[in-house]
Amino acid sequence: MVWLRPGWLREGPGIDKDAPPKTGLALFFEIFEREFWQILKLNLLFVVCAAPLVTFGPARAALSRCTVNMVRDIPNDVFSDFRRALKQDFRRNAAVGLAELFGIGLLLAAASLPAVQESAALSAGLFAAALLAALPLGYLWPLLAAVDLPVRAAVRNALGLAFACPQHSLPALGVCVLLGVLCFGLFPLSLPLMLFVPFGVGSFTTSFAAWSDIRRLVLQNDSNGGI
């Protein structure tokens, strides 16, 4: 069954030796098509492992590690790779994950205030603040999962990359927002979709958008701690 077969065992269509290397959206969809079933499995793994909340951060890091490997064209078996990454730097990733959940909780609490609900300007401002806060997360988790950096350096680089490369960070965030609107706006009808699609597809999209910037601006300047 395709569902259970590791990614590195699947047969591919082959590559024309004279074909130019794909980039941009063409490369994105080529990898996405190849890794589609792996991404669905990753989504389910993440939902199960992140459910206790205290393990949200380690599951987030494991998800990012697997999707970064896909983007880097590293052979993968999501079950073993996810399990291994889940255990790595567990306490650090748990702390970062809890900080993210705390921030989400503050935003939800602010959104529930009567003054915010009755004011279109305040609602729009809070939504804009949430988007600005979310931009660096698309870089932070790939950095924590795949690059050997202290948390402080990872946060600094994530902030710099998110606003230095809006041509990548904004479209990736747009995809994640769209997935969130579709899934949470249609809940509970969207529950089957949530089990298999939004987190895996969102992580793959952000990893694809982030990795070229990380490689170009962080890894090539690692002697200086990145950008």
Side-chain angles (χ1 to χ4, degrees):
M1 295 177 64
V2 174
W3 176 263
L4 298 175
R5 187 185 304 172
W8 49 271
L9 289 179
R10 296 195 314 280
E11 295 180 0
I15 301 174
D16 185 344
K17 65 178 181 180
D18 298 322
K22 293 182 179 180
T23 59
L25 286 176
L27 180 60
F28 173 87
F29 285 111
E30 179 184 81
I31 301 174
F32 182 79
E33 180 182 5
R34 185 178 68 232
E35 302 289 353
F36 178 74
W37 292 109
Q38 307 298 324
I39 292 170
L40 298 190
K41 287 186 283 186
L42 270 177
N43 194 98
L44 184 59
L45 283 170
F46 172 78
V47 169
V48 171
C49 293
L53 294 187
V54 71
T55 56
F56 171 80
R60 192 101 146 80
L63 179 66
S64 290
R65 180 58 178 265
C66 291
T67 52
V68 166
N69 285 348
M70 292 175 183
V71 171
R72 296 172 66 189
D73 199 22
I74 295 176
N76 63 84
D77 177 358
V78 295
F79 290 113
S80 60
D81 292 347
F82 189 95
R83 183 174 63 250
R84 189 181 309 113
L86 186 70
K87 298 176 182 178
Q88 186 174 355
D89 298 316
F90 186 92
R91 291 184 179 179
R92 181 201 68 178
N93 294 332
V96 176
L98 289 175
E100 181 179 343
L101 290 175
F102 179 74
I104 294 172
L106 287 180
L107 287 170
L108 292 176
S112 67
L113 294 174
V116 174
Q117 293 182 347
E118 295 170 2
S119 170
L122 287 177
S123 297
L126 184 64
F127 182 70
L131 293 180
L132 286 175
L135 270 179
L137 293 174
Y139 288 91
L140 178 61
W141 287 107
L143 282 166
L144 290 174
V147 181
D148 186 15
L149 285 176
V151 173
R152 185 173 298 179
V155 171
R156 183 178 69 247
N157 279 284
L159 288 168
L161 288 166
F163 298 105
C165 307
Q167 72 277 18
H168 296 150
S169 60
L170 287 175
L173 179 61
V175 170
C176 294
V177 170
L178 178 61
L179 289 169
V181 169
L182 288 174
C183 289
F184 293 101
L186 297 175
F187 190 84
L189 296 177
S190 61
L191 184 57
L193 186 69
M194 293 179 68
L195 291 176
F196 295 104
V197 174
F199 306 108
V201 173
S203 180
F204 174 78
T205 302
T206 54
S207 292
F208 183 87
W211 184 250
S212 62
D213 298 328
I214 292 172
R215 183 178 55 194
R216 178 170 54 92
L217 297 174
V218 177
L219 297 182
Q220 291 184 4
N221 298 303
D222 59 358
S223 61
N224 297 319
I227 62 174

